[in-house]
Amino acid sequence: MTQRLHLVFGGELVDPTKNAFKDVSDIDIVGMFPDYKSAYNAWKSAAQRTVDNAHTRYFIAHIHRLRDEETASSPTEELDT
């Protein structure tokens, strides 16, 4: 069975119309979730906690889309050290 991992994260943005974080070292990693529904619920909770700060945004990253096990990897993707 294929896992569909989702990462929920967020933080303060430089400009609320952009997706650039003000301080990357201060990003809030909410967590990794096994399905979209649980990731959405975590995202919604984090977003509602910070609703008063217009510069703070939370995102859901579809981690399962970043790597396709059926596609051959590049030589630099997996270093054999």
Side-chain angles (χ1 to χ4, degrees):
M1 181 175 182
T2 303
Q3 286 187 320
R4 303 234 181 248
L5 298 176
H6 298 81
L7 173 66
V8 178
F9 66 99
E12 190 172 357
L13 302 177
V14 174
D15 177 344
T17 65
K18 308 282 188 231
N19 289 335
F21 289 101
K22 184 175 182 178
D23 182 0
V24 176
S25 67
D26 196 31
I27 291 176
D28 178 20
I29 306 295
V30 177
M32 187 74 70
F33 299 89
D35 55 61
Y36 184 79
K37 182 178 179 180
S38 57
Y40 177 82
N41 290 336
W43 167 85
K44 187 175 179 181
S45 176
Q48 286 176 339
R49 277 195 321 270
T50 60
V51 71
D52 292 334
N53 183 346
H55 282 78
T56 300
R57 294 283 188 278
Y58 280 84
F59 303 92
I60 299 174
H62 300 268
I63 301 300
H64 61 275
R65 293 182 184 166
L66 297 178
R67 183 173 173 105
D68 180 358
E69 296 295 334
E70 301 299 318
T71 304
S73 63
S74 71
T76 59
E77 183 176 350
E78 294 188 29
L79 299 176
D80 188 11
T81 58

